[in-house]
Amino acid sequence: MLTNRKTKTVVGLAALVGAVVQFLVFHLVVQAAWERPYSWADHNISDLGNRTCAVQAEPQMRWVCSPDHGMMNESFIRLGVLAVIGLLLSAPLWRPGARAARGLLLGAGLGWVLVGLAPADVNENVHVLGAALIMLAGNIGLIVAGRQASDPIVRRFGLPLGALGLTAFTLFLSQQYLGLGMGGMERVAVFPQLAWLVLFAVVGLRHLFTNEQPSPAGPVLSSSGRRSR
């Protein structure tokens, strides 16, 4: 039987998985509606949320016309909101004082909300701020999470995934795409965070339902719903 605290944590972890799954599903659905094929290599993720059809010149020339842009922007917002909810409710699965990593990842969640509320062709400044929170704050958050998450598996993947995303973000800004294309490099900067959130959620759920302790150095929920060491 789940205690109240355990139930909240399970809901939070489920929210993280749901956030990523719905984003990927709507990404595929919205890109399929394009009359001219959408390219993961040549188009930005946020091109799916642009409201108007036009040739975009920066950072490279491409035709953008997303009929279901509203659906994609709603998905961006859901991703951010669910990520924030999940990170807040999963607090018992973090080491004591793990405010830096959670704060940075919460900032990335806010970034997704800003990206959805302000498409690039509507309010570029706010959109760029949101993208920076996702790719800069979020990836730094993963690196910090390599020390502050309770589970050793989750910690082990935090540093390499964050370093990969941060490196890709730097290359994306300098327009060095290494054969992946603009959109491909952007995805390398973004997708490690999504993968880590799912990993964190799956591992956390395993501990909750098997009453395993992820690490003697980190707090976990015991079968009574209290933190144990």
Side-chain angles (χ1 to χ4, degrees):
M1 182 177 180
L2 293 177
T3 64
N4 185 49
R5 177 172 287 187
K6 262 190 159 182
T7 299
K8 289 181 179 178
T9 307
V10 169
V11 170
L13 296 176
L16 293 178
V17 175
V20 176
V21 170
Q22 67 83 31
F23 165 75
L24 294 175
V25 169
F26 280 102
H27 189 306
L28 295 174
V29 170
V30 173
Q31 76 174 55
W34 284 41
E35 291 185 5
R36 298 187 186 180
Y38 176 89
S39 169
W40 279 41
D42 298 328
H43 288 96
N44 287 328
I45 299 172
S46 57
D47 286 345
L48 295 166
N50 278 18
R51 295 183 181 179
T52 57
C53 294
V55 173
Q56 301 292 330
E58 297 295 337
Q60 70 179 34
M61 193 75 68
R62 65 200 185 281
W63 172 252
V64 175
C65 189
S66 185
D68 294 332
H69 54 82
M71 188 184 299
M72 196 69 233
N73 287 322
E74 290 172 2
S75 179
F76 291 148
I77 295 170
R78 273 195 301 272
L79 172 54
V81 170
L82 289 174
V84 167
I85 291 173
L87 289 166
L88 291 175
L89 293 182
S90 64
L93 296 181
W94 292 83
R95 286 180 166 182
R99 297 177 181 176
R102 291 177 66 223
L104 288 164
L105 291 171
L106 287 169
L110 174 61
W112 284 110
V113 174
L114 293 178
V115 164
L117 291 175
D121 61 339
V122 173
N123 192 327
E124 186 176 10
N125 290 334
V126 174
H127 188 87
V128 169
L129 172 61
L133 285 171
I134 295 167
M135 291 185 275
L136 182 59
N139 284 311
I140 294 175
L142 290 192
I143 294 173
V144 179
R147 297 183 60 85
Q148 295 185 345
S150 293
D151 186 88
I153 296 176
V154 174
R155 291 199 304 272
R156 191 178 306 131
F157 281 92
L159 176 58
L161 287 175
L164 174 63
L166 198 59
T167 300
F169 177 50
T170 302
L171 291 170
F172 176 76
L173 290 179
S174 62
Q175 299 184 25
Q176 301 296 317
Y177 305 135
L178 306 183
L180 298 176
M182 174 188 66
M185 187 58 72
E186 182 188 42
R187 283 167 174 79
V188 178
V190 170
F191 282 10
Q193 293 177 57
L194 305 184
W196 188 90
L197 289 176
V198 172
L199 174 66
F200 174 78
V202 170
V203 172
L205 289 169
R206 185 194 70 186
H207 290 312
L208 287 171
F209 284 105
T210 62
N211 295 320
E212 294 179 2
Q213 295 194 15
S215 169
V220 297
L221 290 178
S222 67
S223 59
S224 65
R226 297 179 180 178
R227 291 190 180 192
S228 60
R229 300 219 22 125

